[in-house]
Amino acid sequence: MDGGGGIMASAATGAMSSLLAKLAELLGEDCYQNQMQRGTRREVAFLRDELSSMNALLERLADAGAAAPLDPQTREWRDQVREMSYDVEDCVDEYMGQLRRRSGGGGGGVVGLVLGYVGRVREMVSRRGIAEQIQELRARVVEAGHRRKRYKIDAAASPSGAGVVPVDRRLPALYAELGGLVGVHGPRDELVRLLDDGEERIKVVSVVGAGGLGKTTLANQVYRNIGDRFDCKSFVSLSQNPDIGMIFRTMLSQVKKDEPELTGSGDMEQLINELRDFLQDKRYLIVIDDVWSTQAWKIIKCAFGENTCGSRIIVTTRIGTVAKSCSSPDSDLVYELKALSEDYSKMLFFRRIFGSEDKCPHQLKEVSVEIVKKCGGLPLAIITMASLLTTKSDTREEWMKVCGSIGFGLEKNSDVEEMNMILSLSYNDLPHHLRTCLLYMSMFPEDYVIKRDYLVRRWIAEGFIKVFGGRTLEEEGECYFNELINRSLIQAVDFQYDGRVYACRVHDLVLDLIVSKAVEDNFVTIVTDKRQVLRPQGKVHRLSSDCTNAENMLTCSKAVAHVRSLNMFRYSERMPPLLNFRSLRVLDLDGNEDLESCYLKDIGKLFQLRYLRIRASNNITLPEQIGELQLLVILDLLNCYDISELPSSIAKLRNLKWLLAHRVKLPNGVCNMQALESVSLVVVDYTTPVTALQELGSLTKLRSLGLDWRISDAHKDKMTYADNLVSSLGKLGTSNLRSLTLISPWSLDFLLDSWCPPPHHLQELTIKGWCLRKIPVWMASLANLTYLDIEVEVAQETVQVLADFPVLQFLKSYSNAAGPQERCLIVDNNGFPCLKKLNFVHWTNLMFLEGAMPMLEALEFQIIVHEVKTACGFGSPPDLGIRHLSALRNLAVNIYCECARVEEVEALEAAIQVAVSMLPNSPTPTLHRFREPEMLADDAEQ
């Protein structure tokens, strides 16, 4: 694929970098050299040399434009050259595609002769057309070179001042205080007092303030502080154009989280009725974050009805009139959030950079105070500037330069413009590749939760990532992602077991900034129903469509011929057919409930397509022509639950690296797909050819594999299938396999001792659906395993085997049975050295000795109350040793009360509360009772 590590696309240079790589490939690869005419080779060499010089100048202009606005003449030249690079790349891509297809040859016999003749005629016509295009493009390049000299464009690009970035010695202090909040306690307590006044009627309190002041942070702190006092709670975020139905469904899933089944799949009226019925007799706390219109609030409040249980609602908004319309009408319950005081601002600033003000170097104190003043008490601005300054050296001159940049025109602007000025400074300080990646996120709507791996795959498909130092594209992409997190330009919203950020969101203010810049650079075009259509000057290159509006869709239809990336968040019959998008490289059909298979019928003609993702709730069938997409690298069907079988032509996709689906049959001919690195989730059943299982073992680049094993114990050929699976897994395990998921309702005991040699590179392992009798020997030898999710019969010996994994960070273990007569298992201080998260669900008790699990931060397990003393001993601690888990931050205990007395359950709960209060992090435990405890006879009589 283009983007295999050497090709880069950029917002600063358009398609120039990727184009230069392709021109070099044309001139260097024998398969192209042998087919190009001599004159064409000369033209390609000229284009490469001339465009290479222009590319360097574009990068210098990007740096110069970050320091000061470019003059109109220079901007015009820059924009024209960037546009020209897209046109040249389109021509080169078409030409390279012709050469590839020509080298593929034709069939034999009379049909082959006829097809060959027709093909040669077409080739002659096509070759003449390409030659004419190259001549026209050459003339444009020459003219651009003349204008460059005529208008002295090089003089506008000042020399780049970029140097080696010093290692920041303050990073440990920065991250040690990353979660620290400043100035929130007073507003939090004041807001709590407004809410917690003992009144039984429902009360709505609005929090209003400018963007970036911390309204969401404040509401979240109150939510955490008093949430446990209510029967149920929910925290939902809106946007300027909210999906109210989705908001109601999210609210239902949160308030009914303990219910065995959730509905919430009906229309708006059904959702409102379901919420009203459930909340009618509950005392609830609900936060509605970021409300933009009174109309949205009028619809949302229909779900609450009358309530005299002391329920509370918090609404946050930027708009004063909205705040007043949301708050309770009979009292002034609008809380206006103020900017941070100067003292709190300095505290936040110094804490983010140095750990405290005392640690700030003397030469930086004066300029630091000046920078803090210019941030105007806006927490987002302070955090952004602090993150920027951590990348600078500790010289007063360097910090004064940053301070002077902030002051440029700041006093003349409104609050929002001031914030954009500060954020622009951080944006301009990004390297070119990170600017491009951040601008690309303007394609996503407000409050869209973007999963890291999904975003990285999009970046890869676009050619934004270039690998260094032996890292893979995914690893390099994650570094980009983490850098944007560290610079406070995107917000982490979810974390993995190992502390890595799992998903992010773009702050509204940052989104406003990057949308304006992306449109200004003609990098992204956004079309929605309610927002004004953003029309760039020129061709559309990346289109984000979230509309069904006929007029806007018509505008969209007129400019699709050059679209390279299409993100369609809502399908509409008015959307232009895919055949019109002949330059498409990336196609993401996200959340299209009404998408029809017929819309995909011409997808095989999108010869440049690298990325295809479909998210549809209805029955979609992929066309057989998908095998024509020879450049396709990523096929993501994870959210197409009705697709159970792929077209047979899928095996033709020799460049495919990611094959992601919910549950599809393992395709035959998979041995032809040697580029595959990630496959999930494929089904192996009795219709799967045995040869497909054998071929699986030949995919030596495979790093991640998910298998759904559906060969029953009664099947006559089960052992044949099992032997071939074991053989293939053995080959993969000695190659590059890092992650394996096996799901089966049938026995997997054939895996107990048969995997040889063991997959020593394996880092993540999941086995679900079948309870293993013991931990296999090969599994116990996995020294690199960090994640284990397994169903296994548990005994003391099992605990010891699990404890010996040297780098295991996440463990989920569960079953419906315990080992013989082992009703209490002991965790001592001789194992689990790195475990951070444990989910242990077995019909047995766990007891933790002093020093056990020293790194454990999150624990969920089950306690069988009536067996605590008899199984664990009368001398056992009443809290089962929870007080020994010194690193614990989150605790959830499922308390099984059957056959236990009320006072036994209450004593256990009290002991747990005392234990966690003694821990350094003082976590608030979540205790769930299952089955009601028995009452004493005298209690029953009372």
Side-chain angles (χ1 to χ4, degrees), residues 90-240:
D90 285 342
C91 178
V92 170
D93 281 340
E94 185 178 347
Y95 182 49
M96 293 176 75
Q98 287 183 12
L99 296 181
R100 280 192 299 268
R101 290 190 289 275
R102 189 188 308 168
S103 64
V110 176
V111 175
L113 288 172
V114 174
L115 291 177
Y117 176 75
V118 173
R120 283 193 295 275
V121 172
R122 287 178 177 172
E123 179 187 320
M124 290 173 60
V125 175
S126 179
R127 186 183 297 178
R128 187 176 297 119
I130 289 289
E132 291 174 356
Q133 286 185 53
I134 291 177
Q135 287 296 325
E136 292 174 4
L137 291 168
R138 185 189 195 280
R140 287 174 62 186
V141 171
V142 170
E143 176 57 28
H146 291 331
R147 288 199 308 275
R148 172 181 177 178
K149 294 175 183 176
R150 193 159 59 240
Y151 301 134
K152 299 180 175 59
I153 301 298
D154 292 67
S158 58
S160 174
V164 177
V165 178
V167 176
D168 181 19
R169 298 181 300 275
R170 297 161 295 189
L171 280 176
L174 170 64
Y175 288 110
E177 296 293 338
L178 192 59
L181 298 173
V182 169
V184 76
H185 297 91
R188 182 198 65 189
D189 295 342
E190 192 171 347
L191 193 53
V192 168
R193 282 194 294 272
L194 283 174
L195 294 163
D196 196 16
D197 59 352
E199 187 173 335
E200 294 300 317
R201 290 185 302 166
I202 189 171
K203 179 179 286 189
V204 183
V205 176
S206 297
V207 180
V208 64
L213 272 179
K215 300 182 297 296
T216 302
T217 301
L218 172 61
N220 192 40
Q221 286 298 305
V222 174
Y223 183 77
R224 292 181 178 182
N225 188 263
I226 65 174
D228 291 336
R229 305 177 192 175
F230 296 80
D231 299 330
C232 56
K233 57 185 179 178
S234 175
F235 194 117
V236 293
S237 295
L238 272 65
S239 62
Q240 285 179 311

Side-chain angles (χ1 to χ4, degrees), residues 322-336:
V322 173
K324 290 180 180 179
S325 69
C326 294
S327 63
S328 297
D330 54 348
S331 56
D332 187 16
L333 292 178
V334 175
Y335 182 80
E336 185 176 353

Side-chain angles (χ1 to χ4, degrees), residues 480-533:
Y480 290 12
F481 179 86
N482 290 337
E483 184 65 17
L484 292 175
I485 291 280
N486 293 339
R487 289 174 179 256
S488 303
L489 286 167
I490 58 177
Q491 299 174 314
V493 296
D494 202 359
F495 294 85
Q496 293 183 175
Y497 66 93
D498 53 3
R500 293 156 63 203
V501 177
Y502 175 73
C504 74
R505 176 187 288 125
V506 182
H507 191 282
D508 288 354
L509 293 174
V510 178
L511 184 62
D512 289 341
L513 173 73
I514 63 177
V515 164
S516 65
K517 288 186 176 294
V519 172
E520 179 185 348
D521 289 344
N522 196 18
F523 187 68
V524 169
T525 303
I526 302 167
V527 183
T528 67
D529 276 339
K530 298 180 180 178
R531 290 178 63 175
Q532 181 182 0
V533 180

Side-chain angles (χ1 to χ4, degrees), residues 644-714:
S644 60
E645 193 164 356
L646 299 171
S648 59
S649 64
I650 202 81
K652 295 181 181 179
L653 301 180
R654 298 177 183 271
N655 287 305
L656 196 69
K657 291 185 179 181
W658 283 269
L659 175 55
L660 310 173
H662 177 62
R663 273 183 170 86
V664 295
K665 291 183 180 179
L666 180 65
N668 205 10
V670 72
C671 62
N672 297 320
M673 307 168 74
Q674 287 297 310
L676 278 174
E677 296 181 8
S678 182
V679 176
S680 180
L681 183 68
V682 291
V683 175
V684 176
D685 60 16
Y686 65 90
T687 66
T688 303
V690 173
T691 53
L693 269 182
Q694 295 169 345
E695 293 172 353
L696 190 64
S698 69
L699 304 179
T700 55
K701 294 182 180 179
L702 205 62
R703 297 173 62 85
S704 177
L705 174 63
L707 279 177
D708 186 352
W709 181 261
R710 297 187 183 181
I711 305 294
S712 71
D713 296 340

